Amino acid sequence: MLIQTIKAEVVDMALDERKRRILQAIVQDYITSAEPVGSRTIARKYDLGVGAATIRNEMFDLEIQGYLKQPHASAGRIPSVKGYRFYVDCLLEPKTILPEEQKMVEDWIRSRMNGMDQIFSSTAKVLAEITHNAIFVMASQQEQARLKYIRFLPLDERRAIMLVVTDSGHVENCLYAKPEKVSLDDLNRLAVHLTRYLAGKTMSEIDLPTLENIRDVVIDDPALYRNAFASLEQALKKNHRVYKEGTLELFDKPEFRDVHKAKNLLVSLEEQDVVNHLFVGKSEDSGMVTVRIGEEVKLPPIQECSVIEATFTAGNDVIGKIAVLGPTRMEYARIIGLLNFMKEHMKQILIQYEQEK
């Protein structure tokens, strides 16, 4: 298992074995119960070989060191961001996926997928159903997909719709502002020229220099080309499509019982900039599971949440990313184990899809 640490500072590795075991027990108990954990609970439920008084002293030391915090004077302790980070980086072992969860994934694999859109949308649904957290799946397969053709459809007297179709079955549509006295026949001729020069190129290859190079050979009407260029640029900017499921699952969790807090979170997750910020892993980190906890997310609306991100690959190509968003009291071990499992099975889905195309 590879987990990428987002926080810049190095986690203190000097905790002795007893403190590590106590911290691990507190994190695991709090994840399960959502209630502050006391020394007597740890002594009763976990065989640590020491009594409640010793555990209480160790918990006090862990609080002084910043790994635990106390919500109020009479309560037990809960993990801090530093405590969760130490747990994820040094104590966690991913859990094996449960048989019933494995069956759900296998049923998902056996279901017939009609296009990449369905593959990624169904991935979001099955993960939301298993984890009961918000799931965001970013499909980036368009970068390596090759342009198949460009076509225009009439909309009204001043506008048309430009369709950009790839060999992966993905269709991107953009509004095209028609210059005066331009007919649909003119647009179709433009589409034929653009297709002739761009078909077979990957979406990542169709950049500004490429479009500039074909400007003069495609058409001699500057206004017609300028508007087509703007629409194509708009289509290329839509390189990533995000599928979202399970946001309402968050509001069944104790952390979001406050209606105002829940509403702010829900509104934030509708903003594209916030959603894009959930994905920070680089392509070269495709073997990593990235974990950001609380304030490490660096977005005020979701700083009481954690984000676990994984990258899906097919061969050497990055074809998508998944971000699981939930409270800092997430089941890190279970979700990381599930994402590792899903990463391997996504390859089977993509092979099946390619064979059936």
Side-chain angles (χ1 to χ4, degrees):
M1 174 201 65
L2 294 173
I3 300 176
Q4 183 179 11
T5 300
I6 293 297
K7 204 169 185 181
E9 68 182 62
V10 177
V11 176
D12 182 8
M13 302 293 289
L15 291 184
D16 61 35
E17 183 62 23
R18 181 190 289 170
K19 282 187 173 62
R20 286 175 175 235
R21 293 178 66 193
I22 291 172
L23 177 60
Q24 184 173 22
I26 291 171
V27 172
Q28 292 174 348
D29 200 87
Y30 183 63
I31 286 173
T32 302
S33 69
E35 297 290 342
V37 185
S39 56
R40 290 182 181 179
T41 299
I42 298 301
R44 185 179 70 253
K45 295 175 65 173
Y46 300 89
D47 183 18
L48 300 182
V50 293
T54 301
I55 293 172
R56 187 160 50 251
N57 291 334
E58 296 283 30
M59 289 172 67
F60 179 76
D61 288 344
L62 287 166
E63 184 179 359
I64 294 298
Q65 291 175 274
Y67 293 98
L68 299 177
K69 57 185 180 180
Q70 193 171 27
H72 48 84
S74 60
R77 269 70 167 187
I78 65 174
S80 65
V81 170
K82 183 178 179 181
Y84 280 124
R85 173 52 64 197
F86 190 90
Y87 169 76
V88 168
D89 290 346
C90 306
L91 305 175
L92 177 148
E93 286 296 332
K95 289 185 177 179
T96 303
I97 187 170
L98 297 174
E100 56 268 30
E101 295 170 345
Q102 185 170 342
K103 183 179 184 302
M104 289 177 65
V105 174
E106 289 171 347
D107 289 344
W108 165 70
I109 292 170
R110 283 194 294 268
S111 63
R112 186 174 180 82
M113 302 290 182
N114 296 314
M116 295 298 289
D117 283 351
Q118 187 177 350
I119 289 175
F120 285 102
S121 63
S122 64
T123 299
K125 287 177 182 177
V126 74
L127 282 173
E129 189 172 347
I130 292 174
T131 67
H132 301 290
N133 284 294
I135 305 296
F136 300 83
V137 179
M138 176 183 282
S140 57
Q141 82 281 2
Q142 296 94 305
E143 290 184 350
Q144 296 306 317
R146 297 183 181 278
L147 188 139
K148 192 172 182 180
Y149 61 83
I150 294 171
R151 181 178 296 169
F152 287 94
L153 298 177
L155 182 60
D156 55 37
E157 292 183 357
R158 300 302 304 271
R159 297 173 300 171
I161 298 174
M162 174 187 277
L163 301 181
V164 181
V165 183
T166 71
D167 63 353
S168 69
H170 179 78
V171 179
E172 195 61 73
N173 57 77
C174 299
L175 284 178
Y176 175 86
K178 291 165 57 178
E180 289 186 18
K181 300 180 181 179
V182 169
S183 68
L184 186 61
D185 287 340
D186 295 328
L187 295 181
N188 284 332
R189 282 193 292 272
L190 172 61
V192 168
H193 287 307
L194 288 170
T195 298
R196 179 183 305 159
Y197 286 97
L198 298 177
K201 293 184 180 295
T202 65
M203 298 299 276
S204 59
E205 290 173 337
I206 304 174
D207 52 13
L208 179 61
T210 300
L211 295 174
E212 290 290 351
N213 287 338
I214 67 171
R215 177 191 294 271
D216 294 334
V217 296
V218 168
I219 202 159
D220 57 5
D221 185 333
L224 195 61
Y225 186 88
R226 182 172 57 250
N227 290 10
F229 176 88
S231 295
L232 259 176
E233 190 176 31
Q234 182 184 352
L236 296 174
K237 285 180 178 177
K238 294 182 180 180
N239 235 1
H240 302 292
R241 175 166 294 183
V242 177
Y243 303 86
K244 178 173 59 177
E245 292 285 345
T247 52
L248 294 181
E249 296 273 5
L250 296 176
F251 307 129
D252 290 332
K253 300 182 185 297
E255 290 84 351
F256 302 108
R257 286 175 182 158
D258 182 294
V259 175
H260 180 70
K261 183 188 297 185
K263 181 181 177 181
N264 285 343
L265 177 61
L266 186 61
V267 170
S268 297
L269 294 178
E270 293 299 321
E271 296 178 11
Q272 192 60 46
D273 288 345
V274 172
V275 172
N276 289 341
H277 192 82
L278 299 178
F279 301 93
V280 297
K282 300 177 182 178
S283 297
E284 57 266 30
D285 297 328
S286 59
M288 298 283 189
V289 172
T290 302
V291 180
R292 285 173 292 159
I293 303 166
E295 63 198 36
E296 296 172 3
V297 180
K298 296 181 180 177
L299 272 181
I302 55 175
Q303 282 192 355
E304 293 185 30
C305 298
S306 289
V307 178
I308 304 177
E309 180 188 349
T311 301
F312 289 161
T313 59
N316 295 321
D317 296 329
V318 173
I319 52 88
K321 296 180 179 182
I322 287 183
V324 182
L325 182 141
T328 53
R329 187 186 54 84
M330 288 179 75
E331 296 180 278
Y332 296 99
R334 176 171 174 258
I335 292 172
I336 291 170
L338 175 62
L339 290 181
N340 285 333
F341 184 84
M342 292 290 287
K343 284 171 64 178
E344 292 303 313
H345 284 72
M346 177 61 87
K347 294 178 184 178
Q348 296 181 32
I349 287 286
L350 293 169
I351 291 170
Q352 173 184 316
Y353 173 72
E354 290 296 325
Q355 291 173 343
E356 296 179 356
K357 273 205 309 183

